[in-house]
Amino acid sequence: MAAGEEPGAARCRVPGSVAAVRVRPRAHTDARAVRAGAGDWVVECRDGDREVLVVAAREDLPWVLGVLR
C-alpha cells in the first residue's frame, strides 16, 4: 500500500508495523490534519507509540483495512 495516490499528496510506502485500531466517521476536529474531499471515514492506526490517521471514502475502507494488519 502506498499513501498519496491523489494529486498533491505525498507518496510513500506504508510500513507493515502500522496496525488499524478502529474506524470512525471523520470529525470536525480532524479538519486541521485532513484536507477537504479526502474522504468521510478515518481509520485510526498505531505505529508503535505513534498515532496514524488514514482518511478514506466508505467504498475504499475494505481495501485499506485489508492492507493494514
Side-chain angles (χ1 to χ4, degrees):
M1 179 171 149
E5 293 296 320
E6 65 278 345
R11 184 180 169 115
C12 60
R13 290 193 76 59
V14 176
S17 57
V18 176
V21 175
R22 73 179 185 135
V23 177
R24 63 172 172 79
R26 195 169 95 181
H28 72 280
T29 54
D30 296 323
R32 290 185 302 167
V34 178
R35 67 179 179 80
D40 292 326
W41 292 89
V42 175
V43 181
E44 292 182 5
C45 304
R46 301 297 302 172
D47 185 7
D49 61 348
R50 296 179 57 189
E51 179 181 59
V52 178
L53 301 179
V54 178
V55 179
R58 183 182 185 110
E59 61 269 15
D60 296 328
L61 286 175
W63 185 84
V64 171
L65 292 171
V67 172
L68 299 170
R69 63 177 182 97

